[in-house]
Amino acid sequence: MSATPSADIRLPGDPPGGPRALWVWGIGVAVYFVAVTFRTSLGVAGIDAAHRFDINASALSSFSILQLLVYAGMQIPVGLLVDRWGTRRVLLLGILLFTAGQFGFALSSAYGTALAFRALLGCGDAMTFIAVLRLGARWFPARRGPMIAQVAALIGMSGNLVTTLVLARVLETFGWTPTFAGSAAGGFVILLLVIFFLRDQPEGHESPSVPKGGDSGHGPGTGYIRRQIGAAWREPGTRAGMWVHFTCQFPGMVFLLLWGMPFLVEAQGLGKSTAGELLTLVVVSNMCCGLVYGQVIARHHAARTPLVLGTVSATAVAWAATLAWPGQAPMWLLVLLCVVLGACGPGSMIGFDFARPANPPERHGTASGIVNMGGFTASMTTLFAVGVLLDLTGGNFRIAFACVFVLQALGLLQFARLRGRAVRRERERVVASRVEAVHVPV
């Protein structure tokens, strides 16, 4: 029997959900959709960027590495801000930053300037997903958590679909500046929706207030920050979730964010249009897998671990077969690889399903930040390693992509070490939640 406090009972004070919840949550997800579109826009423009800024593979990878470095470094601060400020203010700040970053990137002609604007974009992007997760938790019943999170990720991933289907063609037709500057207009539209329509939570379901003062002579909020991070980190479910995110997300992220197009065009001899179609397949597979994973976990919480292990194993096998194939891989194998890479995103989302039941609502933002930091740290590391190895080996993608297996092994070992403790703690919380549900009048 599965054990989770969110799947089996409705707790006192659970938000009601309903059409208004869908509307408000949908605005938050639209922000994430725009952020993903901006984040992944370089994935179809990597070759153009190398020519525009006259840079090699290592320098090209620096765009995505810096963006992800900022993103990963911002996760815990953003989680703390979401818990303290609420969703609306964090999303507004995020929109302003990633829109300015995308617009500045459009106008940049020097490598250093473009790098700075890409970092600004990463800072704004970092403020979206954790805020959207908290928005869903504040507007929908807890038992809907896994499905709501997967659907949010699915809709966000459709921003990647816009990148591969639309932005790539616009870039080829109109060029660099009109494409990136024109896409930045989406940021201004979503800013207005958030200002006028988004609310942090339904009336009567306000989250517990956060203490404003500090302690022991430290600055305001110092004690709160230390307590939040420490309490979230001590939960084995938070750390297990972080390693799930670390292990599952990065192969698909690295492929879509930067190195998929060069690999398919330069190593596999495909045309840009065919390579773009394969990148689109990764996105479509991601969306389909997200729906399946969300439904399965919402109904069978014990399926989390098999789904994680299955996703990682399938990814490793598909990559090994592709890299070991003599010469260029056949199209059927490349299609299989792209379908499997599509499961990486939904697999990484299972990390939040380990952290969510391990932490109370007022700590969800901080815990989600810790989890989200895992996958983006792995992605950043792999982006850098692939770029360096390509330069050292004269463009040998077989050797460069072999670093994927090292990070997968590290992540699986850490998850195996923490999973048992995380599950035991969840069972203890199930008992406590049932007792509270019986004794607290609704």
Side-chain angles (χ1 to χ4, degrees):
M1 181 180 293
S2 63
T4 174
S6 62
D8 300 327
I9 59 175
R10 179 163 181 166
L11 299 179
D14 249 0
R20 172 141 175 89
L22 282 172
W23 164 245
V24 174
W25 173 78
I27 294 173
V29 174
V31 177
Y32 180 53
F33 169 88
V34 174
V36 171
T37 303
F38 290 0
R39 178 202 304 169
T40 58
S41 57
L42 188 60
V44 296
I47 297 174
D48 298 81
H51 293 152
R52 179 180 178 88
F53 302 113
D54 191 23
I55 52 178
N56 60 15
S58 296
L60 178 60
S61 67
S62 296
F63 279 119
S64 297
I65 290 168
L66 179 60
Q67 183 181 337
L68 291 185
L69 178 63
V70 172
Y71 189 106
M74 287 288 294
Q75 289 311 293
I76 293 178
V78 167
L80 291 164
L81 285 177
V82 168
D83 287 335
R84 189 159 196 169
W85 285 4
T87 299
R88 185 171 180 270
R89 282 194 278 180
V90 173
L91 284 179
L92 285 172
L93 180 58
I95 294 168
L96 291 173
L97 291 175
F98 68 60
T99 301
Q102 184 78 342
F103 189 73
F105 190 63
L107 303 179
S108 298
S109 56
Y111 173 66
T113 305
L115 204 61
F117 279 114
R118 205 66 189 171
L120 187 65
L121 191 157
C123 186
D125 182 16
M127 297 183 173
T128 57
F129 189 60
I130 293 175
V132 170
L133 287 179
R134 187 182 190 274
L135 194 67
R138 297 307 302 162
W139 280 90
F140 292 94
R143 68 183 184 277
R144 304 290 186 195
M147 191 61 193
I148 289 297
Q150 288 284 1
V151 171
L154 182 154
I155 296 174
M157 182 53 65
S158 65
N160 204 329
L161 198 62
V162 169
T163 301
T164 57
L165 287 178
V166 179
L167 210 64
R169 288 167 173 75
V170 174
L171 179 65
E172 188 174 347
T173 303
F174 296 101
W176 183 278
T177 299
T179 299
F180 284 95
S183 66
F188 294 107
V189 174
I190 201 66
L191 178 67
L192 295 176
L193 288 175
V194 172
I195 290 173
F196 290 109
F197 299 109
L198 192 137
R199 297 295 177 267
D200 284 333
Q201 63 267 317
E203 293 182 7
H205 294 271
E206 289 76 13
S207 56
S209 59
V210 173
K212 302 294 182 185
D215 63 340
S216 305
H218 296 286
T222 302
Y224 161 72
I225 293 172
R226 187 168 58 247
R227 288 192 300 272
Q228 283 285 96
I229 296 175
W233 181 257
R234 282 192 296 271
E235 290 291 344
T238 303
R239 284 174 285 146
M242 183 190 73
W243 285 108
V244 167
H245 203 267
F246 178 100
T247 311
C248 289
Q249 187 205 47
F250 77 93
M253 174 68 72
V254 167
F255 198 80
L256 284 173
L257 199 60
L258 184 61
W259 291 121
M261 180 71 77
F263 170 73
L264 294 172
V265 173
E266 296 174 8
Q268 300 301 319
L270 302 180
K272 280 189 178 181
S273 60
T274 304
E277 290 170 358
L278 286 175
L279 293 179
T280 301
L281 179 61
V282 177
V283 179
V284 173
S285 173
N286 185 298
M287 297 171 71
C288 294
C289 290
L291 285 175
V292 174
Y293 281 29
Q295 289 281 5
V296 170
I297 295 172
R299 297 177 181 179
H300 308 286
H301 216 55
R304 292 175 302 175
T305 297
L307 284 175
V308 169
L309 297 179
T311 300
V312 176
S313 300
T315 304
V317 169
W319 260 125
T322 303
L323 297 178
W325 196 276
Q328 295 174 347
M331 180 57 70
W332 68 263
L333 183 54
L334 294 176
V335 168
L336 177 63
L337 172 67
C338 290
V339 170
V340 171
L341 288 176
C344 291
S348 71
M349 290 294 299
I350 300 173
F352 297 103
D353 295 316
F354 278 96
R356 189 184 302 111
N359 293 275
E362 62 270 20
R363 211 164 60 217
H364 278 173
T366 305
S368 296
I370 293 172
V371 171
N372 212 27
M373 189 172 62
F376 287 92
T377 300
S379 297
M380 177 181 61
T381 303
T382 308
L383 283 167
F384 176 74
V386 169
V388 170
L389 289 170
L390 283 174
D391 284 339
L392 290 176
T393 61
N396 190 321
F397 278 92
R398 294 173 191 263
I399 296 175
F401 275 119
C403 63
V404 168
F405 307 116
V406 177
L407 270 72
Q408 283 185 319
L410 172 63
L412 279 180
L413 285 172
Q414 293 297 325
F415 173 63
R417 183 176 65 85
L418 291 163
R419 178 195 167 275
R421 278 182 281 169
V423 171
R424 285 193 297 273
R425 286 280 288 165
E426 272 190 35
R427 287 172 181 163
E428 294 169 5
R429 288 182 180 275
V430 168
V431 175
S433 297
R434 291 181 187 277
V435 170
E436 181 183 358
V438 170
H439 288 90
V440 177
V442 179

